[in-house]
Amino acid sequence: MKTWILNALALAAAVCVGPIAAQAQTLLTDVTIVDVENGTLDQGQSVLIRDGAIAQVGAGLTPTDGVDVVDGDGGFLIPGLWDSHVHIFSSPDEPDTALPLYLLHGITGIRDMGALWPIADQKELQNRIAMGEVLGPRLILAGAWVDASPGSWPGMFLADNPTQAQAVVDQIAQEDWAAVKSYSMLDEATYLALAEAATARGLPLVGHIPEQVALGTAITAGQAGMEHFGRILMACSTEEKQMLDDLRQAMAAELSRIFEIMGARNGIILRTWDEMTCADILSRMVAANMHVSPTLVVADFYIGNWPAADAPRMQMIPAGVRQAWGKPDFRLAAMTDELRALAQDSIALDRRTFAMAHAAGVPILASSDASFANPYLFHGFSLLDELDIYVGAGLTPQEALLTAIVAPPRFFGLDDQDGTIAQGRRADLVLLDANPLDGLATLRKPQMVIAAGHVLDRAALDSIESALLERGQ
């Protein structure tokens, strides 16, 4: 394969979030195009890229003057991956590491679901990526999270009653967020007002199903996407209503019991999970087209499935972040002996229910919850771990790829991306040395990543990786 390396300025951009050089037209030749949706291969194809988009696809395309020719050497070409639930703004310099890590793993699109940066600063980075001034994955800002006072994280929108919910949605619309994100502590009346206001403003409601709200209520309210998978298991329990009532009573009178009540849910769900109840709620989700971002990989943090200190993924993040991850964590502190004893059974039930949801037709958005604020959830790496979990739960490699390539851009309503390689589509592409329909291991070391027409061959990717390793020391 022809070596095609970006100049030093562009390479620095990938690890330092700085300016990048403009790309010429590129003709990528001799590739096998993988149709992820239909599971077919089309060998001996060429792809002409111009101005960040696919200008032409076909066999035997010939270059014209001013076109850089890149030999694909028979490799397998797929659209770029998406991670539909990340947090890249949880610290001042996080994008400097996060953006190149996503590109290293063939992830050319991300949806940020909640930030500690002001929206103006998030938009500035989003625009610089879109304008080609910064090399990084396409960025969707959907982190307008709304919670009850005092808020679960700093910087949240707060709403304690329906009137405040309406006002918050008005502000979210004025700030031009991509969605409204509900969070855990909203009461039902405020949540329903939030859903109604989002619909009126033409904004999708995504996020957590609040702890006092039944999943069925969220479906009826029109929530378009739910983050994380645990509330589905709760809705598969014959005791969902009782668990909700217990928490509502505690919220009203015994706040000190909230974590005790929530901590007891795993045991109740294991005892009362019911297949018919589960099938019913899943069918309702399918009928409502409610998308789910499962973030199943998060369980690894709670069971201590952490990488060794010298693992490359650890060495590629800043030393200060590694040190913070090694300190006591409030989430682990909340783990009781009962929760630890039930962990493996709970994870097994997660996987079983996830397989049921997929088989029922619940649309899945591959997602990791990667963030410097979430220990041992890694930008880039953890999305591929998540896809491996899907395959381990029974999905085929093709079905897993659909959740990361086809489903996200269609859910986000993007005009120039739909998970296919075709004329007019954005040139977010990944070249692999093996057929990903046969197994996902090939995703771990792409031969080339193209982000909005900017080409990073394997030598350039290796240079970025080396720079991250050196900077992480």
Side-chain angles (χ1 to χ4, degrees):
M1 185 180 296
K2 177 182 176 182
T3 300
W4 200 92
I5 307 176
L6 295 178
N7 61 40
L9 183 60
L11 180 59
V15 290
C16 300
V17 194
I20 58 176
Q23 294 286 291
Q25 295 184 78
T26 302
L27 181 64
L28 181 59
T29 65
D30 188 22
V31 296
T32 298
I33 292 179
V34 181
D35 185 327
V36 174
E37 186 169 21
N38 296 307
T40 58
L41 304 175
D42 199 0
Q43 297 178 329
Q45 299 297 298
S46 296
V47 179
L48 178 64
I49 299 169
R50 182 187 302 125
D51 297 328
I54 297 172
Q56 197 172 354
V57 179
L61 299 182
T62 56
T64 57
D65 291 343
V67 176
D68 291 306
V69 180
V70 180
D71 182 5
D73 198 23
F76 295 82
L77 191 70
I78 63 172
L81 304 173
W82 280 85
D83 190 330
S84 292
H85 188 126
V86 306
H87 301 274
I88 68 166
F89 300 109
S90 62
S91 63
D93 300 323
E94 190 161 0
D96 294 356
T97 300
L99 300 186
L101 277 176
Y102 285 117
L103 295 181
L104 281 176
H105 291 87
I107 299 164
T108 57
I110 55 176
R111 181 176 60 150
D112 192 273
M113 294 301 295
L116 301 186
W117 288 26
I119 182 61
D121 294 341
Q122 296 179 55
K123 283 185 176 181
E124 181 182 359
L125 179 57
Q126 181 189 47
N127 290 336
R128 292 184 69 199
I129 293 172
M131 295 296 293
E133 297 175 3
V134 169
L135 185 58
R138 187 174 197 167
L139 174 59
I140 291 179
L141 302 177
W145 42 14
V146 185
D147 203 8
S149 299
S152 302
W153 293 92
M156 295 181 123
F157 294 92
L158 301 178
D160 295 315
N161 57 59
T163 300
Q164 291 176 356
Q166 174 68 65
V168 160
V169 172
D170 289 345
Q171 182 179 350
I172 290 169
Q174 290 166 9
E175 293 180 356
D176 197 27
W177 293 84
V180 177
K181 180 182 178 181
S182 57
Y183 215 70
S184 299
M185 291 296 110
L186 294 171
D187 64 46
E188 186 169 300
T190 305
Y191 167 79
L192 292 174
L194 190 76
E196 182 179 1
T199 299
R201 281 287 197 164
L203 288 169
L205 178 64
V206 299
H208 293 202
I209 309 300
E211 296 295 337
Q212 300 181 71
V213 176
L215 177 53
T217 300
I219 294 171
T220 302
Q223 183 157 335
M226 65 174 289
E227 310 307 309
H228 317 302
F229 200 74
R231 289 303 303 277
I232 295 180
L233 271 78
M234 184 172 165
C236 291
S237 165
T238 56
E239 295 296 319
E240 182 193 27
K241 182 179 184 303
Q242 185 61 57
M243 285 186 277
L244 289 169
D245 286 344
D246 289 345
L247 187 67
R248 289 168 184 148
Q249 292 173 14
M251 291 288 289
E254 300 179 83
L255 289 176
S256 61
R257 294 193 61 232
I258 290 176
F259 289 109
E260 173 192 342
I261 291 169
M262 293 174 64
R265 285 178 174 175
N266 281 19
I268 295 171
I269 291 169
L270 284 168
R271 293 191 300 272
T272 63
W273 185 95
D274 179 74
E275 187 167 357
M276 290 184 63
T277 302
C278 210
D280 177 66
I281 197 68
L282 294 175
S283 68
R284 290 183 61 190
M285 294 177 70
V286 172
N289 199 33
M290 178 184 271
H291 286 59
V292 180
S293 303
T295 66
L296 299 180
V297 71
V298 172
D300 283 350
F301 166 65
Y302 288 98
I303 63 174
N305 185 20
W306 307 338
D310 60 354
R313 64 177 63 192
M314 287 289 285
Q315 295 301 312
M316 285 187 207
I317 62 173
V321 176
R322 297 197 301 268
Q323 293 167 5
W325 286 2
K327 295 177 181 178
D329 184 271
F330 70 94
R331 288 155 290 200
L332 289 182
M335 289 279 288
T336 64
D337 290 340
E338 179 186 11
L339 285 173
R340 281 186 283 270
L342 296 175
Q344 293 300 333
D345 288 341
S346 294
I347 291 172
L349 188 58
D350 266 359
R351 306 295 191 266
R352 177 184 175 186
T353 309
F354 173 79
M356 279 185 64
H358 175 264
V362 174
I364 306 296
L365 303 173
S367 46
S368 70
D369 211 4
S371 170
F372 284 177
N374 291 333
Y376 307 108
L377 293 174
F378 296 84
H379 297 296
F381 291 96
S382 289
L383 189 277
L384 302 191
D385 296 342
E386 179 85 358
L387 294 179
D388 286 343
I389 290 173
Y390 297 172
V391 173
L395 275 63
T396 66
Q398 179 193 358
E399 290 169 335
L401 288 170
L402 284 167
T403 72
I405 291 176
V406 176
R410 295 184 182 183
F411 178 66
F412 303 147
L414 302 178
D415 293 333
D416 58 353
Q417 286 185 273
D418 63 357
T420 66
I421 298 174
Q423 184 177 348
R425 303 295 186 265
R426 179 183 169 98
D428 283 351
L429 303 164
V430 181
L431 188 66
L432 305 168
D433 62 5
N435 181 4
L437 302 179
D438 292 335
L440 300 185
T442 186
L443 298 177
R444 297 282 174 177
K445 202 169 184 70
Q447 296 307 300
M448 185 178 298
V449 176
I450 303 175
H454 295 274
V455 181
L456 295 165
D457 75 351
R458 188 61 248 174
L461 294 170
D462 286 342
S463 295
I464 294 170
E465 183 174 326
S466 296
L468 284 170
L469 287 168
E470 181 177 354
R471 195 177 67 183
Q473 301 306 309

